[in-house]
């Protein structure tokens, strides 16, 4: 009998936010569907990237540049880091998988928080290794417990900062102290997919760890603030030995030509980045105030999404929102939804739908206690 590899039996395939087409099919929705489930940029792609893409259709018969030369050099310039310290991938998920395939095998473990980006345990299982999950403490990574779980078998520690789905961050001092204490046989993957949104003075300078010779891989992406999720371009920084080891497990031409061209143009589009960040800040403030007015608790957000708690199983709210044509993400905890911050108009529509749901019959057991703070 044909049998899959044993380690694959533990994998629950990655489940993305529900596609708009699927919601339309399920509920026969006629109006505009609002997707606030995948932390995409509601302003769309950088206009500079779109302009750069206008000639690309004529070139799709040519393989992309396997070395991603232009993009590596642009990133090197902007981040003042030599190009041999940088890697580009088919989304940062490709680099997560490369890290697992390079540093894990069936004798190894990878440590991650129980509530964090779902690709970490998947990549660990694909590599045949064992994920060790550490409970979240006070809505944040529990760094002490993570350190206590390190042993000879540990190959990788995955840390998303901000955390997805919680949106909380680790501050510079605590990350500095943590990195100092991680032993040399472990690669720390610091996943900064929402880096550009954070805007906190206290955020770690994670590239310093690499410049100081630590075994750290820092991940960033063009999928979030740059608005290029559909083109699949992520990147990372690490020591040259680590970057060159990854090339052994990389598929040829994994970063497509339109993606490389758009990313080169997007890096320099500060105007689009600033507008996206400002709109996100406004959205955070607006939704924060409104959630408070409704008596809903949320974790102070550092990315472009909010983790909102409901006084009931959030599945009822999730379904009620879907009936109103709004897709959000039930993830992490039973009483919570992760909601991407939208444009001002989208945020208002979301809020009206949540209010209607809490007032209506659909989520009857989700009534707020009169005295809830
Ligand atoms: C923490 C984190 N890392 C990585 C990714 C994946 O990004 P990419 O589109 O670059 O593969 C996401 C996407 O949601 C994320 O939240």
């Amino acid at each position: 009998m044909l049998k899959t590899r044993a380690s694959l039996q533990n994998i629950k395939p990655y489940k993305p936010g529900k596609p708009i087409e699927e919601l339309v099919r399920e509920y026969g929705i006629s109006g505009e569907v609002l997707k606030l489930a995948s932390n995409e940029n509601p302003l769309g792609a950088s206009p500079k990237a779109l302009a750069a893409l206008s000639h690309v259709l004529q070139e799709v018969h040519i393989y992309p540049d396997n070395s991603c030369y232009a993009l590596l050099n642009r990133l090197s310039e902007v981040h003042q880091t030599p190009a041999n310290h940088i890697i580009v991938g088919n989304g940062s998920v490709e680099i997560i998988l490369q890290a697992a395939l390079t540093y894990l095998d069936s004798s190894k473990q990878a440590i991650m928080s129980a509530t964090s980006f779902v690709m970490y345990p998947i990549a660990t299982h694909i590599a045949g290794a064992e994920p060790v999950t550490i409970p979240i403490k006070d809505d944040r990574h529990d760094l002490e417990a993570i350190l206590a779980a390190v042993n000879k078998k540990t190959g990788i520690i995955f840390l998303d900062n901000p955390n997805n789905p919680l949106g909380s961050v680790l501050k510079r001092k605590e990350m500095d102290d943590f990195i100092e204490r991680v032993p040399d046989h472990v690669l720390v993957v610091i996943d900064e997919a929402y880096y550009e949104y954070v805007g906190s003075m206290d955020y770690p300078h994670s590239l310093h760890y690499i410049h100081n010779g630590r075994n750290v891989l820092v991940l960033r992406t063009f999928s979030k603030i740059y608005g290029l999720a559909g083109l699949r371009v992520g990147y990372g920084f690490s020591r040259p030995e680590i970057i060159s080891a990854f090339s052994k497990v990389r598929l040829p031409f994994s970063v497509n030509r339109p993606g490389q061209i758009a990313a080169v143009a997007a890096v320099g589009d500060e105007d689009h980045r600033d507008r996206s960040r400002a709109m996100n800040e406004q959205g955070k403030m607006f939704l924060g105030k409104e959630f408070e007015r409704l008596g809903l608790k949320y974790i102070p957000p550092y990315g472009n999404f909010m983790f909102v708690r409901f006084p009931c199983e959030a599945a009822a709210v999730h379904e009620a929102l879907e009936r109103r044509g709004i897709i959000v993400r039930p993830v992490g905890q039973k009483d919570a939804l992760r909601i991407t911050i939208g444009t001002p108009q989208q945020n208002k529509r979301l809020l009206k739908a949540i209010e209607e749901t809490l007032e209506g019959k659909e989520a009857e057991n989700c009534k707020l206690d009169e005295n809830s703070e």
Side-chain angles (χ1 to χ4, degrees):
M1 198 173 62
L2 194 59
K3 274 194 170 168
T4 63
R5 277 169 45 216
S7 60
L8 301 191
Q9 284 157 18
N10 298 313
I11 297 182
K12 284 192 210 135
Y14 181 80
K15 205 168 160 234
K18 187 178 280 188
I20 291 175
E21 299 79 3
E22 198 177 317
L23 189 80
V24 170
R25 271 200 309 275
E26 249 177 57
Y27 293 107
I29 288 172
S30 52
E32 196 188 332
V33 172
L34 174 54
K35 185 172 170 227
L36 299 174
S38 299
N39 303 341
E40 293 144 340
N41 185 339
L43 275 187
S46 140
K48 287 199 173 145
L50 292 178
L53 285 170
S54 62
H55 302 298
V56 97
L57 280 183
Q58 280 77 48
E59 296 172 359
V60 291
H61 60 294
I62 304 170
Y63 280 107
D65 173 6
N66 191 47
S67 72
C68 301
Y69 182 84
L71 181 53
L72 281 183
N73 280 289
R74 189 76 188 99
L75 289 168
S76 164
E77 231 169 70
V78 170
H79 296 281
Q80 302 196 341
T81 298
N84 66 351
H85 287 59
I86 309 178
I87 183 168
V88 180
N90 186 255
S92 49
V93 287
E94 186 192 20
I95 310 175
I96 292 169
L97 184 59
Q98 286 173 359
L101 292 174
T102 306
Y103 290 103
L104 300 175
D105 60 28
S106 58
S107 68
K108 295 281 177 65
Q109 298 178 333
I111 305 176
M112 63 209 69
S113 290
T115 310
S116 67
F117 186 44
V118 289
M119 267 311 291
Y120 308 149
I122 293 178
T124 303
H125 281 306
I126 292 175
E130 182 193 354
V132 175
T133 54
I134 306 296
I136 283 285
K137 189 175 171 196
D138 301 330
D139 297 327
R140 288 155 33 93
H141 294 294
D142 185 347
L143 294 179
E144 281 304 321
I146 288 174
L147 279 171
V150 172
N151 60 35
K152 279 198 210 126
K153 290 195 204 168
T154 309
I156 297 181
I157 297 172
F158 289 106
L159 282 177
D160 41 3
N161 192 34
N163 172 282
N164 172 9
L166 302 175
S168 57
V169 284
L170 296 170
K171 298 282 167 71
R172 188 179 308 156
K173 173 85 173 67
E174 53 191 339
M175 188 70 102
D176 288 356
D177 294 347
F178 173 79
I179 295 294
E180 207 44 52
R181 292 166 67 196
V182 175
D184 243 13
H185 67 280
V186 179
L187 174 70
V188 183
V189 177
I190 305 178
D191 183 347
E192 299 183 338
Y194 303 95
Y195 169 81
E196 297 82 0
Y197 286 111
V198 175
S200 156
M201 304 293 282
D202 249 359
Y203 192 59
H205 287 312
S206 46
L207 297 193
H208 285 181
Y209 308 137
I210 297 163
H211 297 145
N212 291 338
R214 304 306 308 228
N215 291 331
V216 166
L217 167 69
V218 176
L219 295 178
R220 308 257 173 93
T221 184
F222 285 94
S223 300
K224 305 300 173 187
I225 208 161
Y226 294 103
L228 299 177
L231 290 175
R232 313 301 304 123
V233 190
Y235 59 106
F237 302 90
S238 196
R239 295 180 32 229
E241 308 88 281
I242 295 174
I243 302 278
S244 63
F246 285 4
S247 63
K248 296 186 181 177
V249 297
R250 178 180 179 234
L251 285 178
F253 308 113
S254 64
V255 186
N256 69 80
R257 176 178 286 271
Q260 292 188 38
I261 289 172
V264 169
V267 174
D269 194 346
E270 283 170 23
D271 181 48
H272 173 262
R273 204 175 46 211
D274 292 348
R275 277 189 295 123
S276 303
R277 194 187 288 132
M279 195 177 74
N280 190 61
E281 283 301 307
Q282 241 181 16
K284 270 199 256 189
M285 298 239 287
F286 170 75
L287 287 176
K289 269 197 205 135
E290 292 295 309
F291 290 147
E292 275 159 34
R293 180 175 64 78
L294 294 178
L296 296 174
K297 299 227 167 74
Y298 62 91
I299 299 176
Y302 285 86
N304 64 345
F305 57 92
M306 292 178 80
F307 191 80
V308 188
R309 293 200 168 98
F310 293 84
C312 61
E313 289 219 351
V317 182
H318 176 236
E319 198 187 321
L321 292 177
E322 287 201 343
R323 288 188 189 287
R324 289 170 172 78
I326 301 176
I327 313 174
V328 296
R329 193 81 171 264
V331 66
Q333 290 162 9
K334 280 203 154 159
D335 66 343
L337 294 174
R338 192 197 70 194
I339 302 176
T340 305
I341 296 163
T343 62
Q345 193 193 8
Q346 291 172 342
N347 294 336
K348 278 187 196 141
R349 178 172 162 198
L350 165 81
L351 211 81
K352 184 162 171 276
I354 291 181
E355 227 171 332
E356 271 174 27
T357 302
L358 294 180
E359 282 163 6
K361 281 217 169 74
E362 294 151 292
E364 242 178 0
N365 62 346
C366 208
K367 290 279 170 284
L368 289 165
D369 189 329
E370 290 289 312
N371 298 321
S372 66
E373 327 111 70

